[in-house]
Each structure stands twice: as structure tokens, then as C-alpha cells.
Amino acid sequence: MAASASGRQAWRQLVRNSSCRGSAATPSNLLRQQQQQRQFAFPRHASSFSRHPVTPPPSSLLRQQPLAQRSYSSGSQGGGQNTPPPPRGSKSQIKFWPFLLIIALGSGGYMLLVNRRKDMPRTKPTPAFSPSEVTVLFVLGGPGAGKGTQCARLVRDYHFAHLSAGDLLRAEQDRPGSQYGQLIRDCIKNGEIVPMEVTVALLENAMRDTIARTGTKKFLIDGFPRKMDQALKFEEVVCPARLVLFYDCPEAEMERRLLERGKTSGRADDNAESIRKRFRTFVDTSMPVVHHYEAEGRVVKVDSTPPPDKVYADTQEKLRQALGDKF
Ligand code: UDP
Ligand code: MG
């Protein structure tokens, strides 16, 4: 009985002690308190905590301290009792500057890598043809604007080679064994743009072939680029264009011409439904290309509503202004 009474008293004493720290007097809390009391014994001998004996140090610091001393403090290699304690004022530096140094070095290295990667895409591929040797004029305008007609006259008078993207695509579509035949057929019928890789490759091959066969290095590229990605790709990998010759014509006039041409052309897209789709594609997809080059001051615009002779006279005059007498 007496033993249990004194046991109860000791228990109450413990409860009183622990409750001032605000934790419940459960056996597990009491065990934790005993462990903490044992931990407090450590810093009293360790110089780093001697200035603040009341505040319990975070356990993470307790774990770090011996490591920090072993690795970074100078003259601690022997680690013996004769090692003088570090000066009081420099303690926090000893603990943190190596970490700051590591973070700084790490960040510096990371930034270096990021900058180097940023530099990488700037090394653009060299175009296949140099614009100082090869002249490329893009010829743009809505379907039926008269691009083909005007190109034929420029070929006759100025010895340009005429490459029509539409003609090259139709030839590829009809080439036996072509893996793109069906894709091209579907795109043309729906007035859509064939994926640029196909058209750019056909144009580059045709340019190489023309130069090898005839030596001509002046090209009219008709009906191309009809989409921004084509324009950027071609100029990046094939050849930067000198300028864009843009034939401007009202839709009603272009429709009239196309329906007229459809009577004899045999083209799958010279019918009312395909023409409507081609107009849509021209306005939505191809006009942004014209605006892009206009913003760069590289567009020669000719009104192609009048009869072909008048349009050609205007074309010659404007090209002379842009390129000089001998273009
Ligand atoms: N086309 C294409 N990409 C081009 C040029 C033409 O996909 O770069 C396709 C498109 O479907 C277009 C068709 O070929 O509607 C006919 O083009 P073409 O230049 O022969 O038509 P035009 O403008 O002369 O009427
Ligand atoms: Mg054409």
C-alpha cells in the first residue's frame, strides 16, 4: 500500500513537471521527455550551444554538427582534445559558408548549362543555296489570280526558271510508287495545304535539277509558300527569298476565271466546291504569309484584275523599281 502510495506521488510529480511544457502525461510522452533531457546534456559540452543553454537546439543541427566539424573546420584533422575551439564569432560561418558555396557553385553551373543550351538552336542550318548566288522570287496570289500566266512571260523575257508548287505536287501525286500520292490527292481536292516537308523537298530537288541541267540560278516559285511554316522552313533550309511578287485580285473575278478554266483544265479542284475551300484556305492561311513579308518590306504588290498585258506591264515596272533594270 505504502509502496503504491509513494509510486502515485512520484507519478504526480512527473505529471506536474511534464505539464508545464504543455504535453499530456502519457507514458510515451514521458519517455520522449527523458530522451530530450538526455539530448540537452550534449550541447552543454558542445561549444556551439553553450551560449544558449536554455533553448533546445533543433535535432537536425545536433546531427549536422559533428559532420561539419569533421569536414570543414581547419586544423581539426587530428580531431583530438588538443584542437583549439573555433573562435566564438566565427561559429555560424563555419557551419553555413560551405553550403552557400556549394549552392552558389551549383547554381552557377546550372545557369552555364542553360545558357549553353539556349545557344544551341541559334546555330541554324545553312540553306542549301546561297542568296548571293541564287535568286528566288516567291509568286503569291489567290487561286485564279493569274500567277501562272505572268510567270510564263517573266520566263520568256528574263530567263527565270518557273517552278509551280502545285504542278510539282500534281506530278508527285501521279508518279507511280509515290508514298505521298493519296495524301496529295486528298489535300488538293479539299483545297488544303500538303504537309510542308513534302513540298519543300520537291522544290529543293527541282531547283538542284534545274541548276544541274540548265545552269539557271533565277527562280520564280509560284503558289508557294502558302503557309507560314512553309515560308520559314524553305528560307531556313533551301534559300532565303529576294522578294514576294503578290497578285491581288477580287474573289469574284478569281472565281469567274477558275470556273472558265475548269471547262478545259481537267483539274480536280477547278469546281465550285473546291474553289470555295481554296478561297477559305487562301484567306485564313496564305494571306498571313503575305502580311509577314509585307511587314519585312519584301512584297511587290500588283493589281491583277486588269487583262494580262496590263498586269504584265505593271509587273515589269514594279520589279524594275525593286530589283533594278537587270533583274
Ligand atoms: N498546294 C499545296 N501547297 C503548295 C502549293 C499548292 O498544298 O505550296 C496544293 C493546294 O491544295 C492548292 C493546290 O495545290 O489548292 C493547287 O495549287 P496551284 O498553285 O496549282 O493552284 P493555283 O493557285 O494556281 O490555282
Ligand atoms: Mg497556278
Side-chain angles (χ1 to χ4, degrees), residues 139-148 164-170 184-196 199-200 203 222-227 230 258 261 267 269-270 274 277-278 281-282:
V139 185
L140 293 180
K147 302 181 293 288
S164 157
D167 288 349
L168 289 171
L169 286 167
R170 280 183 284 273
I184 295 171
R185 193 169 292 112
D186 292 342
C187 284
I188 288 182
K189 187 136 191 295
N190 293 319
E192 290 165 0
I193 310 292
V194 174
M196 65 158 178
T199 318
V200 170
L203 284 168
D222 165 4
F224 180 95
R226 279 170 137 95
K227 198 176 173 183
Q230 290 180 326
L258 289 172
R261 184 174 81 181
R267 272 177 54 163
D269 57 350
D270 280 348
S274 293
K277 291 177 181 169
R278 289 158 73 192
T281 303
F282 176 70

mmCIF file of all heavy atoms in Angstrom, residues 139-148 164-170 184-196 199-200 203 222-227 230 258 261 267 269-270 274 277-278 281-282, ligand 1:
data_model
loop_
_atom_site.group_PDB
_atom_site.id
_atom_site.type_symbol
_atom_site.label_atom_id
_atom_site.label_comp_id
_atom_site.label_asym_id
_atom_site.label_seq_id
_atom_site.Cartn_x
_atom_site.Cartn_y
_atom_site.Cartn_z
ATOM 1 N N VAL A 139 6.004 33.808 -105.842
ATOM 2 C CA VAL A 139 4.882 34.429 -106.551
ATOM 3 C C VAL A 139 3.592 33.980 -105.865
ATOM 4 O O VAL A 139 3.258 32.791 -105.881
ATOM 5 C CB VAL A 139 4.867 34.049 -108.048
ATOM 6 C CG1 VAL A 139 3.758 34.801 -108.780
ATOM 7 C CG2 VAL A 139 6.225 34.348 -108.686
ATOM 8 N N LEU A 140 2.909 34.922 -105.228
ATOM 9 C CA LEU A 140 1.703 34.583 -104.471
ATOM 10 C C LEU A 140 0.478 35.332 -105.005
ATOM 11 O O LEU A 140 0.592 36.310 -105.748
ATOM 12 C CB LEU A 140 1.903 34.917 -102.985
ATOM 13 C CG LEU A 140 2.942 34.066 -102.241
ATOM 14 C CD1 LEU A 140 3.033 34.497 -100.775
ATOM 15 C CD2 LEU A 140 2.584 32.577 -102.322
ATOM 16 N N GLY A 141 -0.675 34.853 -104.595
ATOM 17 C CA GLY A 141 -1.958 35.424 -105.025
ATOM 18 C C GLY A 141 -3.014 34.345 -104.866
ATOM 19 O O GLY A 141 -2.687 33.152 -104.822
ATOM 20 N N GLY A 142 -4.260 34.744 -104.792
ATOM 21 C CA GLY A 142 -5.344 33.768 -104.626
ATOM 22 C C GLY A 142 -5.424 32.822 -105.815
ATOM 23 O O GLY A 142 -4.802 33.066 -106.863
ATOM 24 N N PRO A 143 -6.195 31.739 -105.679
ATOM 25 C CA PRO A 143 -6.382 30.830 -106.813
ATOM 26 C C PRO A 143 -7.055 31.567 -107.963
ATOM 27 O O PRO A 143 -8.052 32.255 -107.755
ATOM 28 C CB PRO A 143 -7.338 29.752 -106.257
ATOM 29 C CG PRO A 143 -7.444 29.991 -104.791
ATOM 30 C CD PRO A 143 -6.973 31.362 -104.496
ATOM 31 N N GLY A 144 -6.447 31.485 -109.118
ATOM 32 C CA GLY A 144 -7.022 32.185 -110.275
ATOM 33 C C GLY A 144 -6.583 33.638 -110.374
ATOM 34 O O GLY A 144 -7.087 34.386 -111.219
ATOM 35 N N ALA A 145 -5.623 34.061 -109.581
ATOM 36 C CA ALA A 145 -5.185 35.458 -109.621
ATOM 37 C C ALA A 145 -4.332 35.737 -110.858
ATOM 38 O O ALA A 145 -4.095 36.905 -111.198
ATOM 39 C CB ALA A 145 -4.390 35.795 -108.360
ATOM 40 N N GLY A 146 -3.828 34.697 -111.489
ATOM 41 C CA GLY A 146 -3.046 34.907 -112.718
ATOM 42 C C GLY A 146 -1.557 34.685 -112.535
ATOM 43 O O GLY A 146 -0.750 35.147 -113.355
ATOM 44 N N LYS A 147 -1.183 33.967 -111.538
ATOM 45 C CA LYS A 147 0.245 33.755 -111.248
ATOM 46 C C LYS A 147 0.937 33.023 -112.402
ATOM 47 O O LYS A 147 2.005 33.437 -112.859
ATOM 48 C CB LYS A 147 0.416 32.919 -109.958
ATOM 49 C CG LYS A 147 -0.242 33.547 -108.734
ATOM 50 C CD LYS A 147 -0.043 32.718 -107.483
ATOM 51 C CE LYS A 147 -0.752 31.377 -107.506
ATOM 52 N NZ LYS A 147 -2.228 31.458 -107.383
ATOM 53 N N GLY A 148 0.304 31.917 -112.840
ATOM 54 C CA GLY A 148 0.920 31.097 -113.895
ATOM 55 C C GLY A 148 1.117 31.886 -115.175
ATOM 56 O O GLY A 148 2.178 31.811 -115.811
ATOM 57 N N SER A 164 6.265 25.697 -110.293
ATOM 58 C CA SER A 164 4.949 25.819 -109.670
ATOM 59 C C SER A 164 4.805 24.718 -108.625
ATOM 60 O O SER A 164 4.914 23.525 -108.951
ATOM 61 C CB SER A 164 3.851 25.683 -110.740
ATOM 62 O OG SER A 164 2.636 25.262 -110.132
ATOM 63 N N ALA A 165 4.577 25.126 -107.374
ATOM 64 C CA ALA A 165 4.432 24.131 -106.297
ATOM 65 C C ALA A 165 3.271 23.190 -106.611
ATOM 66 O O ALA A 165 3.376 21.976 -106.412
ATOM 67 C CB ALA A 165 4.206 24.835 -104.958
ATOM 68 N N GLY A 166 2.167 23.753 -107.141
ATOM 69 C CA GLY A 166 1.002 22.926 -107.477
ATOM 70 C C GLY A 166 1.348 21.896 -108.544
ATOM 71 O O GLY A 166 0.982 20.717 -108.432
ATOM 72 N N ASP A 167 2.082 22.330 -109.587
ATOM 73 C CA ASP A 167 2.462 21.396 -110.657
ATOM 74 C C ASP A 167 3.372 20.283 -110.117
ATOM 75 O O ASP A 167 3.226 19.120 -110.480
ATOM 76 C CB ASP A 167 3.195 22.141 -111.788
ATOM 77 C CG ASP A 167 2.236 23.024 -112.603
ATOM 78 O OD1 ASP A 167 1.009 22.891 -112.419
ATOM 79 O OD2 ASP A 167 2.733 23.860 -113.410
ATOM 80 N N LEU A 168 4.336 20.665 -109.255
ATOM 81 C CA LEU A 168 5.244 19.653 -108.683
ATOM 82 C C LEU A 168 4.463 18.641 -107.838
ATOM 83 O O LEU A 168 4.739 17.444 -107.879
ATOM 84 C CB LEU A 168 6.328 20.328 -107.828
ATOM 85 C CG LEU A 168 7.391 21.116 -108.601
ATOM 86 C CD1 LEU A 168 8.266 21.912 -107.631
ATOM 87 C CD2 LEU A 168 8.267 20.174 -109.434
ATOM 88 N N LEU A 169 3.479 19.155 -107.105
ATOM 89 C CA LEU A 169 2.669 18.245 -106.275
ATOM 90 C C LEU A 169 1.824 17.315 -107.138
ATOM 91 O O LEU A 169 1.708 16.119 -106.857
ATOM 92 C CB LEU A 169 1.762 19.048 -105.330
ATOM 93 C CG LEU A 169 2.479 19.709 -104.143
ATOM 94 C CD1 LEU A 169 1.578 20.737 -103.461
ATOM 95 C CD2 LEU A 169 2.930 18.657 -103.126
ATOM 96 N N ARG A 170 1.255 17.863 -108.203
ATOM 97 C CA ARG A 170 0.448 17.014 -109.098
ATOM 98 C C ARG A 170 1.320 15.941 -109.762
ATOM 99 O O ARG A 170 0.904 14.789 -109.908
ATOM 100 C CB ARG A 170 -0.280 17.879 -110.138
ATOM 101 C CG ARG A 170 -1.560 18.540 -109.586
ATOM 102 C CD ARG A 170 -2.296 19.327 -110.671
ATOM 103 N NE ARG A 170 -1.634 20.598 -110.957
ATOM 104 C CZ ARG A 170 -1.874 21.738 -110.283
ATOM 105 N NH1 ARG A 170 -2.771 21.748 -109.324
ATOM 106 N NH2 ARG A 170 -1.229 22.838 -110.582
ATOM 107 N N ILE A 184 -1.524 13.779 -101.253
ATOM 108 C CA ILE A 184 -1.565 14.981 -102.098
ATOM 109 C C ILE A 184 -2.925 15.095 -102.779
ATOM 110 O O ILE A 184 -3.530 16.185 -102.805
ATOM 111 C CB ILE A 184 -0.417 14.932 -103.150
ATOM 112 C CG1 ILE A 184 0.946 14.997 -102.451
ATOM 113 C CG2 ILE A 184 -0.559 16.069 -104.154
ATOM 114 C CD1 ILE A 184 2.137 14.737 -103.372
ATOM 115 N N ARG A 185 -3.423 13.979 -103.303
ATOM 116 C CA ARG A 185 -4.727 13.982 -103.998
ATOM 117 C C ARG A 185 -5.819 14.532 -103.079
ATOM 118 O O ARG A 185 -6.606 15.401 -103.461
ATOM 119 C CB ARG A 185 -5.053 12.559 -104.460
ATOM 120 C CG ARG A 185 -6.195 12.480 -105.449
ATOM 121 C CD ARG A 185 -6.304 11.099 -106.090
ATOM 122 N NE ARG A 185 -5.171 10.806 -106.972
ATOM 123 C CZ ARG A 185 -4.242 9.898 -106.748
ATOM 124 N NH1 ARG A 185 -4.289 9.151 -105.659
ATOM 125 N NH2 ARG A 185 -3.250 9.709 -107.595
ATOM 126 N N ASP A 186 -5.845 14.035 -101.837
ATOM 127 C CA ASP A 186 -6.878 14.457 -100.880
ATOM 128 C C ASP A 186 -6.747 15.939 -100.547
ATOM 129 O O ASP A 186 -7.739 16.672 -100.487
ATOM 130 C CB ASP A 186 -6.777 13.635 -99.581
ATOM 131 C CG ASP A 186 -7.157 12.181 -99.817
ATOM 132 O OD1 ASP A 186 -7.806 11.898 -100.849
ATOM 133 O OD2 ASP A 186 -6.796 11.327 -98.969
ATOM 134 N N CYS A 187 -5.513 16.384 -100.308
ATOM 135 C CA CYS A 187 -5.302 17.800 -99.946
ATOM 136 C C CYS A 187 -5.760 18.709 -101.079
ATOM 137 O O CYS A 187 -6.457 19.700 -100.848
ATOM 138 C CB CYS A 187 -3.828 18.062 -99.646
ATOM 139 S SG CYS A 187 -3.302 17.440 -98.052
ATOM 140 N N ILE A 188 -5.355 18.392 -102.302
ATOM 141 C CA ILE A 188 -5.681 19.269 -103.428
ATOM 142 C C ILE A 188 -7.194 19.347 -103.630
ATOM 143 O O ILE A 188 -7.761 20.433 -103.805
ATOM 144 C CB ILE A 188 -4.963 18.793 -104.713
ATOM 145 C CG1 ILE A 188 -3.462 19.103 -104.585
ATOM 146 C CG2 ILE A 188 -5.541 19.470 -105.953
ATOM 147 C CD1 ILE A 188 -2.625 18.733 -105.800
ATOM 148 N N LYS A 189 -7.860 18.209 -103.546
ATOM 149 C CA LYS A 189 -9.316 18.199 -103.754
ATOM 150 C C LYS A 189 -10.028 19.062 -102.711
ATOM 151 O O LYS A 189 -11.001 19.747 -103.001
ATOM 152 C CB LYS A 189 -9.819 16.745 -103.688
ATOM 153 C CG LYS A 189 -11.260 16.594 -104.038
ATOM 154 C CD LYS A 189 -11.488 15.392 -104.960
ATOM 155 C CE LYS A 189 -12.901 15.414 -105.523
ATOM 156 N NZ LYS A 189 -13.899 15.241 -104.469
ATOM 157 N N ASN A 190 -9.500 19.035 -101.475
ATOM 158 C CA ASN A 190 -10.144 19.792 -100.397
ATOM 159 C C ASN A 190 -9.588 21.203 -100.238
ATOM 160 O O ASN A 190 -9.918 21.899 -99.271
ATOM 161 C CB ASN A 190 -9.982 19.039 -99.069
ATOM 162 C CG ASN A 190 -10.766 17.744 -99.092
ATOM 163 O OD1 ASN A 190 -11.894 17.701 -99.581
ATOM 164 N ND2 ASN A 190 -10.157 16.673 -98.595
ATOM 165 N N GLY A 191 -8.702 21.586 -101.147
ATOM 166 C CA GLY A 191 -8.132 22.937 -101.070
ATOM 167 C C GLY A 191 -7.258 23.124 -99.852
ATOM 168 O O GLY A 191 -7.041 24.243 -99.389
ATOM 169 N N GLU A 192 -6.731 22.020 -99.297
ATOM 170 C CA GLU A 192 -5.873 22.120 -98.100
ATOM 171 C C GLU A 192 -4.403 22.136 -98.494
ATOM 172 O O GLU A 192 -4.050 21.817 -99.634
ATOM 173 C CB GLU A 192 -6.144 20.927 -97.167
ATOM 174 C CG GLU A 192 -7.519 21.022 -96.510
ATOM 175 C CD GLU A 192 -7.953 19.713 -95.886
ATOM 176 O OE1 GLU A 192 -7.189 18.731 -95.955
ATOM 177 O OE2 GLU A 192 -9.084 19.671 -95.366
ATOM 178 N N ILE A 193 -3.568 22.480 -97.504
ATOM 179 C CA ILE A 193 -2.131 22.570 -97.780
ATOM 180 C C ILE A 193 -1.475 21.223 -97.475
ATOM 181 O O ILE A 193 -1.630 20.678 -96.384
ATOM 182 C CB ILE A 193 -1.474 23.660 -96.894
ATOM 183 C CG1 ILE A 193 -2.252 24.985 -96.974
ATOM 184 C CG2 ILE A 193 -0.009 23.847 -97.261
ATOM 185 C CD1 ILE A 193 -2.210 25.682 -98.282
ATOM 186 N N VAL A 194 -0.728 20.726 -98.435
ATOM 187 C CA VAL A 194 0.032 19.478 -98.244
ATOM 188 C C VAL A 194 1.119 19.738 -97.191
ATOM 189 O O VAL A 194 1.701 20.841 -97.169
ATOM 190 C CB VAL A 194 0.669 19.060 -99.604
ATOM 191 C CG1 VAL A 194 1.575 17.854 -99.439
ATOM 192 C CG2 VAL A 194 -0.421 18.790 -100.645
ATOM 193 N N PRO A 195 1.407 18.771 -96.307
ATOM 194 C CA PRO A 195 2.454 18.997 -95.293
ATOM 195 C C PRO A 195 3.735 19.540 -95.914
ATOM 196 O O PRO A 195 4.186 19.067 -96.953
ATOM 197 C CB PRO A 195 2.669 17.603 -94.689
ATOM 198 C CG PRO A 195 1.355 16.915 -94.883
ATOM 199 C CD PRO A 195 0.792 17.443 -96.184
ATOM 200 N N MET A 196 4.285 20.542 -95.243
ATOM 201 C CA MET A 196 5.373 21.328 -95.851
ATOM 202 C C MET A 196 6.597 20.503 -96.234
ATOM 203 O O MET A 196 7.273 20.819 -97.203
ATOM 204 C CB MET A 196 5.791 22.441 -94.911
ATOM 205 C CG MET A 196 6.398 21.944 -93.636
ATOM 206 S SD MET A 196 7.398 23.173 -92.873
ATOM 207 C CE MET A 196 7.904 22.305 -91.399
ATOM 208 N N THR A 199 6.383 19.413 -99.868
ATOM 209 C CA THR A 199 6.505 20.478 -100.875
ATOM 210 C C THR A 199 7.912 21.087 -100.877
ATOM 211 O O THR A 199 8.484 21.333 -101.947
ATOM 212 C CB THR A 199 5.443 21.573 -100.602
ATOM 213 O OG1 THR A 199 4.216 20.933 -100.261
ATOM 214 C CG2 THR A 199 5.239 22.451 -101.800
ATOM 215 N N VAL A 200 8.466 21.290 -99.680
ATOM 216 C CA VAL A 200 9.814 21.878 -99.609
ATOM 217 C C VAL A 200 10.835 20.942 -100.263
ATOM 218 O O VAL A 200 11.707 21.387 -101.023
ATOM 219 C CB VAL A 200 10.199 22.202 -98.134
ATOM 220 C CG1 VAL A 200 11.673 22.581 -98.023
ATOM 221 C CG2 VAL A 200 9.328 23.331 -97.591
ATOM 222 N N LEU A 203 10.505 21.071 -104.047
ATOM 223 C CA LEU A 203 11.068 22.312 -104.594
ATOM 224 C C LEU A 203 12.593 22.276 -104.596
ATOM 225 O O LEU A 203 13.235 22.666 -105.585
ATOM 226 C CB LEU A 203 10.564 23.517 -103.789
ATOM 227 C CG LEU A 203 9.126 23.945 -104.084
ATOM 228 C CD1 LEU A 203 8.623 24.938 -103.037
ATOM 229 C CD2 LEU A 203 9.041 24.575 -105.490
ATOM 230 N N ASP A 222 6.159 29.598 -107.785
ATOM 231 C CA ASP A 222 4.756 30.005 -107.987
ATOM 232 C C ASP A 222 3.825 29.219 -107.060
ATOM 233 O O ASP A 222 3.894 27.991 -106.997
ATOM 234 C CB ASP A 222 4.460 29.729 -109.482
ATOM 235 C CG ASP A 222 2.986 29.737 -109.838
ATOM 236 O OD1 ASP A 222 2.143 30.021 -108.976
ATOM 237 O OD2 ASP A 222 2.688 29.436 -111.014
ATOM 238 N N GLY A 223 2.966 29.958 -106.349
ATOM 239 C CA GLY A 223 1.983 29.305 -105.462
ATOM 240 C C GLY A 223 2.614 28.746 -104.205
ATOM 241 O O GLY A 223 2.111 27.798 -103.602
ATOM 242 N N PHE A 224 3.665 29.357 -103.759
ATOM 243 C CA PHE A 224 4.409 28.913 -102.572
ATOM 244 C C PHE A 224 5.176 30.114 -102.013
ATOM 245 O O PHE A 224 5.717 30.888 -102.813
ATOM 246 C CB PHE A 224 5.381 27.799 -102.958
ATOM 247 C CG PHE A 224 6.195 27.277 -101.805
ATOM 248 C CD1 PHE A 224 5.810 26.162 -101.098
ATOM 249 C CD2 PHE A 224 7.369 27.941 -101.413
ATOM 250 C CE1 PHE A 224 6.565 25.702 -100.032
ATOM 251 C CE2 PHE A 224 8.118 27.485 -100.354
ATOM 252 C CZ PHE A 224 7.726 26.363 -99.661
ATOM 253 N N PRO A 225 5.284 30.286 -100.711
ATOM 254 C CA PRO A 225 4.710 29.495 -99.628
ATOM 255 C C PRO A 225 3.266 29.926 -99.326
ATOM 256 O O PRO A 225 2.965 31.106 -99.286
ATOM 257 C CB PRO A 225 5.624 29.820 -98.432
ATOM 258 C CG PRO A 225 6.215 31.165 -98.742
ATOM 259 C CD PRO A 225 6.203 31.339 -100.211
ATOM 260 N N ARG A 226 2.425 28.933 -99.113
ATOM 261 C CA ARG A 226 1.014 29.201 -98.832
ATOM 262 C C ARG A 226 0.723 29.160 -97.351
ATOM 263 O O ARG A 226 -0.422 29.326 -96.945
ATOM 264 C CB ARG A 226 0.165 28.120 -99.510
ATOM 265 C CG ARG A 226 -0.077 28.362 -100.975
ATOM 266 C CD ARG A 226 -0.708 27.105 -101.535
ATOM 267 N NE ARG A 226 -1.805 27.383 -102.443
ATOM 268 C CZ ARG A 226 -1.686 27.465 -103.759
ATOM 269 N NH1 ARG A 226 -0.504 27.375 -104.320
ATOM 270 N NH2 ARG A 226 -2.745 27.662 -104.515
ATOM 271 N N LYS A 227 1.726 28.908 -96.548
ATOM 272 C CA LYS A 227 1.529 28.798 -95.106
ATOM 273 C C LYS A 227 2.829 29.229 -94.424
ATOM 274 O O LYS A 227 3.915 28.999 -94.978
ATOM 275 C CB LYS A 227 1.201 27.326 -94.773
ATOM 276 C CG LYS A 227 0.564 27.105 -93.446
ATOM 277 C CD LYS A 227 0.192 25.636 -93.286
ATOM 278 C CE LYS A 227 -0.292 25.372 -91.873
ATOM 279 N NZ LYS A 227 -0.590 23.956 -91.666
ATOM 280 N N GLN A 230 5.777 26.785 -94.076
ATOM 281 C CA GLN A 230 6.494 26.539 -95.333
ATOM 282 C C GLN A 230 7.508 27.647 -95.598
ATOM 283 O O GLN A 230 8.638 27.398 -96.015
ATOM 284 C CB GLN A 230 5.526 26.536 -96.511
ATOM 285 C CG GLN A 230 4.574 25.375 -96.599
ATOM 286 C CD GLN A 230 3.677 25.523 -97.827
ATOM 287 O OE1 GLN A 230 3.316 26.636 -98.212
ATOM 288 N NE2 GLN A 230 3.312 24.408 -98.427
ATOM 289 N N LEU A 258 -11.602 30.815 -112.631
ATOM 290 C CA LEU A 258 -11.403 29.393 -112.308
ATOM 291 C C LEU A 258 -12.497 28.517 -112.923
ATOM 292 O O LEU A 258 -12.212 27.420 -113.435
ATOM 293 C CB LEU A 258 -11.380 29.183 -110.781
ATOM 294 C CG LEU A 258 -10.138 29.712 -110.059
ATOM 295 C CD1 LEU A 258 -10.325 29.624 -108.547
ATOM 296 C CD2 LEU A 258 -8.877 28.947 -110.476
ATOM 297 N N ARG A 261 -11.696 28.253 -116.506
ATOM 298 C CA ARG A 261 -10.569 27.340 -116.711
ATOM 299 C C ARG A 261 -11.003 25.882 -116.499
ATOM 300 O O ARG A 261 -10.532 24.975 -117.182
ATOM 301 C CB ARG A 261 -9.451 27.700 -115.727
ATOM 302 C CG ARG A 261 -8.191 26.890 -115.895
ATOM 303 C CD ARG A 261 -7.071 27.386 -115.003
ATOM 304 N NE ARG A 261 -7.205 26.885 -113.626
ATOM 305 C CZ ARG A 261 -6.347 27.201 -112.652
ATOM 306 N NH1 ARG A 261 -5.348 28.027 -112.876
ATOM 307 N NH2 ARG A 261 -6.501 26.712 -111.449
ATOM 308 N N ARG A 267 -8.575 19.823 -113.990
ATOM 309 C CA ARG A 267 -8.082 19.797 -112.603
ATOM 310 C C ARG A 267 -9.210 19.441 -111.631
ATOM 311 O O ARG A 267 -10.329 19.950 -111.727
ATOM 312 C CB ARG A 267 -7.478 21.168 -112.239
ATOM 313 C CG ARG A 267 -6.016 21.265 -112.612
ATOM 314 C CD ARG A 267 -5.434 22.620 -112.318
ATOM 315 N NE ARG A 267 -5.617 23.053 -110.938
ATOM 316 C CZ ARG A 267 -4.920 24.034 -110.396
ATOM 317 N NH1 ARG A 267 -4.002 24.675 -111.101
ATOM 318 N NH2 ARG A 267 -5.144 24.394 -109.165
ATOM 319 N N ASP A 269 -9.621 20.339 -108.739
ATOM 320 C CA ASP A 269 -10.031 21.389 -107.791
ATOM 321 C C ASP A 269 -10.619 22.614 -108.484
ATOM 322 O O ASP A 269 -10.869 23.630 -107.829
ATOM 323 C CB ASP A 269 -8.845 21.796 -106.904
ATOM 324 C CG ASP A 269 -7.639 22.266 -107.702
ATOM 325 O OD1 ASP A 269 -7.629 22.097 -108.951
ATOM 326 O OD2 ASP A 269 -6.700 22.809 -107.086
ATOM 327 N N ASP A 270 -10.829 22.545 -109.801
ATOM 328 C CA ASP A 270 -11.458 23.676 -110.501
ATOM 329 C C ASP A 270 -12.976 23.475 -110.575
ATOM 330 O O ASP A 270 -13.574 23.541 -111.649
ATOM 331 C CB ASP A 270 -10.855 23.842 -111.915
ATOM 332 C CG ASP A 270 -9.513 24.570 -111.876
ATOM 333 O OD1 ASP A 270 -9.170 25.133 -110.805
ATOM 334 O OD2 ASP A 270 -8.811 24.580 -112.907
ATOM 335 N N SER A 274 -14.615 22.965 -104.507
ATOM 336 C CA SER A 274 -13.181 23.066 -104.197
ATOM 337 C C SER A 274 -12.719 24.525 -104.229
ATOM 338 O O SER A 274 -11.890 24.937 -103.415
ATOM 339 C CB SER A 274 -12.354 22.255 -105.201
ATOM 340 O OG SER A 274 -12.603 20.884 -105.050
ATOM 341 N N LYS A 277 -13.428 26.199 -100.974
ATOM 342 C CA LYS A 277 -12.464 25.773 -99.936
ATOM 343 C C LYS A 277 -11.103 26.408 -100.146
ATOM 344 O O LYS A 277 -10.405 26.799 -99.199
ATOM 345 C CB LYS A 277 -12.336 24.245 -99.939
ATOM 346 C CG LYS A 277 -13.583 23.544 -99.437
ATOM 347 C CD LYS A 277 -13.418 22.042 -99.531
ATOM 348 C CE LYS A 277 -14.670 21.314 -99.066
ATOM 349 N NZ LYS A 277 -14.626 19.882 -99.379
ATOM 350 N N ARG A 278 -10.689 26.536 -101.407
ATOM 351 C CA ARG A 278 -9.380 27.139 -101.699
ATOM 352 C C ARG A 278 -9.360 28.615 -101.299
ATOM 353 O O ARG A 278 -8.353 29.117 -100.792
ATOM 354 C CB ARG A 278 -9.046 26.982 -103.190
ATOM 355 C CG ARG A 278 -8.727 25.542 -103.561
ATOM 356 C CD ARG A 278 -8.929 25.273 -105.031
ATOM 357 N NE ARG A 278 -7.906 25.870 -105.876
ATOM 358 C CZ ARG A 278 -8.009 25.964 -107.196
ATOM 359 N NH1 ARG A 278 -9.096 25.500 -107.826
ATOM 360 N NH2 ARG A 278 -7.037 26.496 -107.905
ATOM 361 N N THR A 281 -8.946 28.740 -97.518
ATOM 362 C CA THR A 281 -7.552 28.468 -97.142
ATOM 363 C C THR A 281 -6.660 29.663 -97.477
ATOM 364 O O THR A 281 -5.773 30.033 -96.698
ATOM 365 C CB THR A 281 -7.027 27.213 -97.883
ATOM 366 O OG1 THR A 281 -7.884 26.115 -97.568
ATOM 367 C CG2 THR A 281 -5.608 26.874 -97.481
ATOM 368 N N PHE A 282 -6.933 30.280 -98.622
ATOM 369 C CA PHE A 282 -6.099 31.419 -99.023
ATOM 370 C C PHE A 282 -6.218 32.566 -98.006
ATOM 371 O O PHE A 282 -5.202 33.111 -97.556
ATOM 372 C CB PHE A 282 -6.504 31.910 -100.421
ATOM 373 C CG PHE A 282 -5.752 33.132 -100.833
ATOM 374 C CD1 PHE A 282 -4.397 33.055 -101.122
ATOM 375 C CD2 PHE A 282 -6.378 34.365 -100.902
ATOM 376 C CE1 PHE A 282 -3.672 34.196 -101.481
ATOM 377 C CE2 PHE A 282 -5.672 35.510 -101.263
ATOM 378 C CZ PHE A 282 -4.314 35.418 -101.547
HETATM 379 N N1 UDP B 1 -0.701 23.193 -102.821
HETATM 380 C C1 UDP B 1 -0.149 22.931 -101.612
HETATM 381 N N2 UDP B 1 0.990 23.570 -101.238
HETATM 382 C C2 UDP B 1 1.591 24.475 -102.020
HETATM 383 C C3 UDP B 1 1.044 24.753 -103.272
HETATM 384 C C4 UDP B 1 -0.123 24.098 -103.670
HETATM 385 O O1 UDP B 1 -0.672 22.137 -100.844
HETATM 386 O O2 UDP B 1 2.626 25.016 -101.608
HETATM 387 C C5 UDP B 1 -1.926 22.481 -103.234
HETATM 388 C C6 UDP B 1 -3.168 23.145 -102.660
HETATM 389 O O3 UDP B 1 -4.119 22.145 -102.362
HETATM 390 C C7 UDP B 1 -3.663 24.006 -103.802
HETATM 391 C C8 UDP B 1 -3.355 23.130 -104.976
HETATM 392 O O4 UDP B 1 -2.104 22.537 -104.644
HETATM 393 O O5 UDP B 1 -5.019 24.345 -103.688
HETATM 394 C C9 UDP B 1 -3.263 23.845 -106.311
HETATM 395 O O6 UDP B 1 -2.202 24.750 -106.285
HETATM 396 P P1 UDP B 1 -1.915 25.669 -107.566
HETATM 397 O O7 UDP B 1 -0.775 26.554 -107.237
HETATM 398 O O8 UDP B 1 -1.783 24.824 -108.776
HETATM 399 O O9 UDP B 1 -3.265 26.490 -107.681
HETATM 400 P P2 UDP B 1 -3.459 27.916 -108.333
HETATM 401 O O10 UDP B 1 -3.219 28.905 -107.281
HETATM 402 O O11 UDP B 1 -2.516 28.040 -109.481
HETATM 403 O O12 UDP B 1 -4.890 27.924 -108.793
#
